[in-house]
């Protein structure tokens, strides 16, 4: 009964547009108060403690650091240079520019950790370039929105950091390693329909005969940016850094590249960059803090038990339950960002994971994949919204294009669901 | 629109300072670990404190700008009147939540003060850190209620 009240209140508040953080906090506190009518202060003294505990986790320090890395590389001008280099490699025939957009989004995904920031960085460079080459703006927006969704799979990923601090048995390095192949697979699964659609519909032939950028020169220009993911991932792989330290090294490296090498950042911009990163991190961490209260009430009131019993009573086997959860994740992902989804549902999903003995790392990757699909599926997709805003199109106009990209990404997710080794081989062979 | 009252720079500057300090401390830790094969374990406690302060200070700045993560489907749609109503509701709910949290955390700090709790790492009184929570929560509440008040005073559709 109290559980139903908690979720009903929480859902109504959220739909009304109350910030997700506040909806989680209010729902959690009302449930605690209803459950403890006779305790001193209705047991609510647990609320500030759990709020503090929600963000007082040392591994969480990686989150603001990677957000900062994203804002620095956003302004460091690496995206344009990577695009030039990629064009030097593949040329300008129809379908190549979307391919480049996806590849660059994936490399940037290896630097920053959040999808909307990636969509903004890639969109700022690619959407104008694609429209010059004769791609329709809604198509370009769909490509950029979908490509940026690979970001939360390709390490470093903010979503994985949040998952890890909330799920015992899934360490950040293990999740990061597990995301590599599914992320590459997802990128490939987007490239195939992107190239196929452009060829079939005759998009992007206008600049076919322009010369390619010179290979060695563009490689040298792009190399500063291309080294960043190698430094971050390689440094963690080699055991030089923890994820947090890798992030802070990337901060220093990005500032060096922006201030001294490309000279795209000047000292006066630093305050703005730090302010943006501090605010974005604070907004995410506010959700985490207040989700701490929500999770406490879900756990202490034993609200996950009826759910687990209901799923088992429905007679679903492991595959059926997994399929149902992933479909729910996909739908919810269309309305909410990945981090909020993890914080709301993990207290409920963790007991199910235990019952069915799913590998927490593999399940985290799968859940992240379906959530990523939701991030560019209309009508409420965050990444697609950013890309549409940059392209100056309405989200409905992307419908003829984005469906194919969704299909591609779903196929990649199904492959990872069917063959868990795609995710788990790398972390196990690296010994995480 | 003319803004009165406390400028938002205060919370923003605090959040930026915390982030800059976090970067500096973490970077320093990496460097010293490589040079001297030692690490400052005691900085962990300070980093966590800075994260809490950054979160709450940034929450206040984001509240004043109405930039917290939300489902925008109904919030940004519909008539101007409905948008105004929903905005006032959202601000009031958030404001009251943080006011309640300020009160409850003040009580938590009072308990820590009374029992003389000290921290694990540095052994300093815990309330040195936690005192920031009620103060900053109250600031977030004030930001939300101020925005609700400003929205309520504008004409619908204005």
């Amino acid at each position: 009964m109290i559980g139903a009240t908690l979720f009903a209140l929480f859902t109504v508040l959220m739909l009304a547009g109350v910030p997700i953080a506040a909806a989680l906090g209010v729902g959690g506190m009302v449930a605690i108060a209803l459950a403890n009518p006779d305790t001193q202060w209705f047991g609510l003294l647990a609320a500030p403690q759990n709020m503090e505990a929600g963000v007082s986790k040392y591994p969480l320090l990686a989150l603001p650091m990677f957000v900062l890395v994203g804002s620095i590389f956003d302004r460091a001008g690496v995206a344009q240079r990577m695009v030039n280099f990629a064009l030097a490699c593949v040329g300008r025939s129809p379908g190549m520019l979307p391919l480049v957009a996806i590849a660059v989004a994936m490399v940037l995904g290896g630097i920053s950790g959040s999808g909307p920031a990636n969509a903004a960085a890639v969109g700022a460079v690619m959407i104008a370039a694609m429209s010059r080459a004769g791609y329709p703006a809604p198509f370009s927006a769909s490509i950029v929105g979908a490509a940026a969704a690979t970001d939360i799979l390709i390490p470093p990923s903010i979503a994985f950091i949040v998952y890890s601090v909330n799920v015992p048995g899934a360490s950040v390095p293990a999740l990061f390693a597990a995301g590599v192949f599914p992320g590459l697979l997802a990128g490939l699964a987007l490239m195939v329909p992107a190239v196929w659609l452009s060829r079939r519909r005759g998009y992007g032939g206008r600049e076919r005969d322009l010369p390619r950028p010179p290979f060695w020169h563009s490689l040298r220009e792009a190399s500063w940016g291309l080294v960043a993911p190698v430094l971050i991932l390689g440094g963690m792989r080699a055991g030089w850094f923890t994820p947090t330290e890798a992030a802070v090294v990337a901060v220093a490296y990005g500032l060096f590249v922006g201030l001294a090498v490309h000279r795209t950042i000047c000292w006066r911009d630093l305050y703005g960059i730090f302010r943006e990163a501090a605010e974005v991190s604070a907004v995410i961490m506010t959700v985490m803090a207040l989700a701490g209260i929500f999770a406490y009430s879900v756990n202490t009131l034993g609200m996950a038990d009826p759910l687990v019993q209901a799923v088992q009573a429905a007679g679903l086997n492991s595959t059926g339950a997994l399929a149902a959860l992933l479909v729910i994740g996909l739908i919810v992902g269309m309305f909410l960002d990945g981090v909020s989804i993890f914080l709301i549902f993990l207290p409920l999903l963790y007991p199910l994971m235990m019952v069915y003995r799913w590998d927490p790392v593999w399940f985290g990757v799968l859940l992240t994949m379906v959530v990523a699909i939701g991030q560019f599926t209309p009508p409420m997709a965050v990444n697609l919204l950013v890309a549409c805003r940059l392209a100056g199109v309405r989200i409905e106009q992307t419908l003829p294009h984005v469906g194919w990209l969704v299909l591609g990404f779903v196929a990649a997710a199904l492959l990872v669901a069917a063959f868990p080794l795609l995710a788990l081989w790398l972390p196990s062979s690296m010994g995480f | 629109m003319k803004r009165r009252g406390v400028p938002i720079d205060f919370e923003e500057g605090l959040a930026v300072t915390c982030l800059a300090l976090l970067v500096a401390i973490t970077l320093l830790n990496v460097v010293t670990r490589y040079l001297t094969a030692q690490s400052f374990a005691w900085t962990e406690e300070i980093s966590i404190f800075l994260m809490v302060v950054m979160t709450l200070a940034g929450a206040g700045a984001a509240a004043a700008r109405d930039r917290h993560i939300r489902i925008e489907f109904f919030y940004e749609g519909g008539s101007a009147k409905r948008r105004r109503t929903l905005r006032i509701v959202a601000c009031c709910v958030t404001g009251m939540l943080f006011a309640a949290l300020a009160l409850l955390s003040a009580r938590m700090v009072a308990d820590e003060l009374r029992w003389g709790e000290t921290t694990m790492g540095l052994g300093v009184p815990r309330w040195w850190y936690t005192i920031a929570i009620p103060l900053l929560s109250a600031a977030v509440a004030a930001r939300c209620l101020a925005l609700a008040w400003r929205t309520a005073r504008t004409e619908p559709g204005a």
Side-chain angles (χ1 to χ4, degrees):
Chain A
M1 191 54 224
I2 297 172
T5 316
L6 171 87
F7 274 92
L9 181 67
F10 166 65
T11 313
V12 169
L13 287 176
M14 232 173 32
L15 286 176
V18 171
I20 303 215
L24 284 164
V26 170
M29 280 170 72
V30 169
I32 294 172
L34 287 176
N36 301 292
D38 309 320
T39 325
Q40 184 198 22
W41 291 36
F42 299 105
L44 283 175
L45 286 174
Q49 282 159 11
N50 283 285
M51 171 172 84
E52 190 195 354
V55 286
S56 296
K57 292 166 180 157
Y58 194 66
L60 193 60
L61 183 54
L63 189 148
M65 293 299 142
F66 276 120
V67 171
L68 181 60
V69 172
S71 340
I72 290 171
F73 276 89
D74 233 17
R75 315 259 183 111
V78 293
Q80 179 69 59
R81 290 169 171 85
M82 284 183 197
V83 168
N84 286 343
F85 173 62
L87 280 178
C89 295
V90 299
R92 295 183 190 267
S93 62
M96 287 303 114
L97 219 43
L99 191 89
V100 166
I102 296 167
V104 170
M106 287 165 69
V107 177
L108 282 183
I111 303 174
S112 92
S114 99
N118 190 327
V122 178
V125 177
M126 289 309 294
I127 283 173
M130 286 174 75
S131 99
R132 277 197 303 276
Y135 294 90
F139 176 75
S140 314
S142 311
I143 295 287
V144 169
T150 58
D151 191 308
I152 60 171
L153 272 174
I154 295 176
S157 152
I158 304 239
F160 282 156
I161 296 171
V162 171
Y163 184 89
S164 167
V165 293
N166 284 285
V167 174
S171 74
V172 174
L175 282 163
F176 277 10
V180 171
F181 284 118
L184 294 177
L185 191 67
L188 203 65
L190 293 176
M191 285 176 180
V192 172
V195 174
W196 179 74
L197 278 177
S198 336
R199 295 252 153 112
R200 191 185 149 86
R201 297 180 181 168
Y203 294 156
R206 205 181 289 160
E207 290 187 341
R208 179 192 302 230
D209 302 322
L210 281 185
R212 293 185 182 195
F215 181 84
W216 291 110
H217 177 75
S218 52
L219 173 61
R220 203 173 58 227
E221 282 280 291
S223 58
W224 290 99
L226 291 171
V227 165
V230 178
L231 180 77
I232 295 172
L233 303 179
M236 274 189 273
R237 163 71 189 90
W240 298 340
F241 318 125
T242 64
T244 310
E245 291 172 350
V248 82
V249 169
V251 166
Y253 177 77
L255 285 176
F256 170 71
V257 171
L259 286 166
V261 182
H262 296 336
R263 294 178 190 267
T264 37
I265 302 176
C266 57
W267 289 99
R268 249 178 316 172
D269 300 334
L270 283 185
Y271 187 81
I273 292 174
F274 271 71
R275 188 187 63 198
E276 181 190 298
E279 193 178 300
V280 169
S281 316
V283 164
I284 300 173
M285 286 163 72
T286 309
V287 182
M288 297 198 72
L290 294 171
I293 302 176
F294 185 80
Y296 170 82
S297 68
V298 168
N299 291 332
T300 53
L301 305 180
M303 272 180 289
D305 304 343
L307 181 82
V308 174
Q309 282 155 12
V311 173
Q312 282 179 318
L316 286 175
N317 60 9
S318 172
T319 318
L322 185 68
L325 282 182
L326 293 182
V327 170
I328 295 172
L330 183 65
I331 295 168
V332 177
M334 288 157 60
F335 294 92
L336 275 174
D337 66 289
V339 172
S340 306
I341 293 174
F342 283 177
L343 292 171
I344 296 165
F345 289 99
L346 282 180
L348 296 171
L349 292 180
Y350 187 67
L352 275 179
M353 243 189 275
M354 294 286 100
V355 168
Y356 287 111
R357 291 163 197 259
W358 291 327
D359 184 290
V361 173
W362 171 67
F363 184 71
V365 171
L366 263 183
L367 198 62
T368 308
M369 283 188 97
V370 293
V371 166
I373 296 168
Q375 313 284 287
F376 67 95
T377 310
M380 287 298 298
V382 275
N383 289 346
L384 192 58
L385 274 176
V386 173
C388 282
R389 218 168 286 157
L390 286 169
V393 296
R394 288 192 317 278
I395 206 156
E396 306 90 83
Q397 293 175 282
T398 61
L399 284 176
H401 315 288
V402 83
W404 296 103
L405 302 170
V406 172
L407 272 185
F409 213 124
V410 168
L414 286 178
L415 273 177
V416 177
F419 304 105
L421 271 186
L422 279 173
L424 295 179
W425 177 78
L426 190 61
S428 73
S429 71
M430 284 164 68
F432 290 137
Chain B
M1 190 171 73
K2 197 168 148 265
R3 280 279 172 87
R4 286 181 304 143
V6 188
I8 190 173
D9 307 7
F10 173 72
E11 276 107 323
E12 244 173 41
L14 190 57
V16 169
T17 311
C18 288
L19 182 60
L21 283 173
L22 282 171
V23 171
I25 292 174
T26 316
L27 200 59
L28 218 64
N29 259 331
V30 180
V31 174
T32 46
R33 190 158 60 88
Y34 274 88
L35 293 182
T36 67
Q38 281 181 345
S39 64
F40 306 123
W42 55 269
T43 58
E44 186 167 319
E45 184 173 309
I46 293 174
S47 295
I48 286 173
F49 164 70
L50 289 171
M51 279 205 289
V52 173
V53 173
M54 183 187 81
T55 304
L56 287 171
R65 294 213 175 94
D66 208 20
R67 287 238 284 259
H68 277 287
I69 305 175
R70 56 160 51 90
I71 294 180
E72 293 176 348
F73 192 74
F74 297 104
Y75 193 75
E76 297 290 342
S79 64
K81 186 155 175 267
R82 186 173 86 187
R83 285 205 300 270
R84 177 171 168 271
T85 313
L86 285 181
R87 187 164 175 166
I88 295 172
V89 169
C91 288
C92 286
V93 170
T94 316
M96 286 186 314
L97 169 69
F98 275 95
L101 284 169
L103 188 70
L104 290 164
S105 55
R107 170 69 201 269
M108 178 179 84
V109 176
D111 280 350
E112 285 168 358
L113 197 62
R114 187 153 45 128
W115 304 117
E117 285 182 42
T118 52
T119 59
M120 303 276 275
L122 294 173
V124 298
R126 242 184 82 79
W127 68 268
W128 287 10
Y129 298 132
T130 47
I131 187 77
I133 297 175
L135 294 177
L136 288 168
S137 301
V140 178
R143 289 288 183 197
C144 294
L145 297 174
L147 183 60
W149 175 244
R150 276 207 310 274
T151 313
R153 280 197 318 174
T154 54
E155 285 301 308

